[in-house]
């Protein structure tokens, strides 16, 4: 049973880079057919797809965030990471990592518990 | 920019049937968008309900079903229960590999 755990600073200063890591346990990040995703939820709002990455390193980003986002994968550590640059208060959100089934389905089958990141000086 | 539309809120009485929809600001939703549905209660991570239009995720009660109704994806709850009171989100897979979530529907059961 794959489990995901987000980690990273809960407080980031404006204009800095937000960095989060998702550790995958109970399975390999290199399993074919799955993409590793980041999704965020602003306080009291809906879900927003940030992007996802395949174990090979191919990444897809939300066009509205693409200029500020980098998602990377470390297969040796069974982790994937999110970097969001030039953050502002508008980036304050709960960030979820997730395992996405691709190809024949395109859906999330495992969610992390989420981590709250606040952007404030 | 593609917008995925959902009813902001819906109310249903216990035992009744409710259908939530997921549409596009321009165009029709079809199975090729692989619509999926997620349930979220306050303070919790979302839970996967339905994927690929109408396939229930493991452990999801069969009172939840998915379909395409007209030009939208739909989530039907047959015989709503009190603990179905949640936010429901749909998401569509777009060509080019991107995903777009709907704004979510807040379902009240009373």
């Amino acid at each position: 049973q794959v489990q995901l755990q987000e980690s990273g600073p809960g407080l980031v200063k404006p204009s800095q880079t937000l960095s989060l890591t998702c550790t995958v346990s109970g399975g390999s990040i290199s399993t074919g057919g799955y993409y590793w995703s980041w999704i965020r939820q602003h306080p009291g709002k809906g879900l927003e797809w940030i992007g996802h990455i395949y174990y090979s390193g191919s990444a897809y980003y939300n066009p509205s965030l693409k200029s500020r986002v980098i998602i990377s994968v470390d297969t040796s550590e069974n982790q994937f990471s999110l970097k969001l640059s030039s953050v502002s208060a508008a980036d304050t959100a709960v960030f979820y990592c997730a395992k996405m089934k691709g190809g024949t389905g395109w859906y999330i089958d495992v969610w992390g518990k989420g981590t709250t990141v606040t952007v404030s000086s | 920019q593609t917008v995925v539309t959902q009813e902001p809120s819906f109310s249903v009485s216990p035992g009744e049937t409710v259908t939530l929809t997921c549409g596009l600001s321009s165009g029709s939703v079809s199975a090729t968008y692989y619509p999926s549905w997620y349930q979220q209660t306050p303070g919790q991570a979302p839970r996967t309900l339905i994927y690929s239009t109408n396939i229930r995720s493991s452990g999801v009660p069969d009172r939840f079903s998915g379909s395409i109704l007209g030009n939208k994806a739909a989530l039907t709850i047959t015989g709503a229960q009190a603990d179905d009171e949640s936010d429901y989100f749909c998401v569509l897979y777009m060509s080019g590999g991107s995903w777009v979530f709907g704004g979510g529907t807040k379902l009240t059961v009373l």
Side-chain angles (χ1 to χ4, degrees):
Chain A
Q1 174 92 358
V2 170
Q3 293 185 310
L4 306 176
Q5 179 65 60
E6 305 90 350
S7 59
L11 180 65
V12 181
K13 288 182 168 40
S15 81
Q16 292 191 342
T17 295
L18 178 161
S19 295
L20 295 175
T21 295
C22 183
T23 300
V24 180
S25 60
S28 172
I29 203 169
S30 300
T31 301
Y34 289 93
Y35 292 75
W36 305 92
S37 308
W38 287 100
I39 291 157
R40 70 178 180 179
Q41 186 169 33
H42 294 106
K45 302 295 185 183
L47 299 167
E48 180 181 30
W49 171 73
I50 298 171
H52 55 253
I53 192 166
Y54 200 56
Y55 74 90
S56 62
S58 297
Y60 303 83
Y61 300 123
N62 185 324
S64 68
L65 297 170
K66 189 174 182 177
S67 63
R68 298 195 292 130
V69 172
I70 297 175
I71 297 176
S72 58
V73 62
D74 185 339
T75 55
S76 65
E77 295 291 334
N78 228 31
Q79 295 176 331
F80 62 107
S81 299
L82 168 71
K83 290 190 187 300
L84 179 65
S85 61
S86 304
V87 298
S88 69
D91 293 307
T92 293
V94 175
F95 287 76
Y96 295 99
C97 62
K99 172 173 163 272
M100 178 196 295
K101 178 73 174 70
T104 58
W106 294 107
Y107 65 97
I108 290 171
D109 63 349
V110 180
W111 293 81
K113 288 182 167 52
T115 188
T116 299
V117 178
T118 301
V119 179
S120 175
S121 56
Chain B
Q1 174 91 7
T2 301
V3 176
V4 176
T5 61
Q6 294 186 249
E7 299 87 359
S9 63
F10 228 115
S11 184
V12 63
S13 298
E16 291 192 344
T17 295
V18 61
T19 296
L20 313 181
T21 67
C22 176
L24 283 169
S25 55
S26 177
S28 299
V29 177
S30 66
T32 59
Y33 285 90
Y34 297 100
S36 54
W37 292 89
Y38 304 85
Q39 177 191 48
Q40 188 182 36
T41 52
Q44 300 296 314
R47 168 197 182 197
T48 304
L49 292 177
I50 300 284
Y51 62 93
S52 294
T53 304
N54 58 10
I55 301 175
R56 268 189 301 277
S57 187
S58 176
V60 173
D62 60 7
R63 66 177 183 274
F64 292 92
S65 62
S67 63
I68 299 290
L69 283 181
N71 62 350
K72 297 181 179 182
L75 172 71
T76 298
I77 307 173
T78 303
Q81 299 182 2
D83 60 3
D84 295 335
E85 185 162 295
S86 302
D87 294 326
Y88 292 86
F89 296 95
C90 71
V91 65
L92 302 179
Y93 171 75
M94 304 295 178
S95 60
S98 66
W99 263 33
V100 182
F101 280 93
T105 297
K106 184 177 183 64
L107 180 67
T108 301
V109 181
L110 50 70

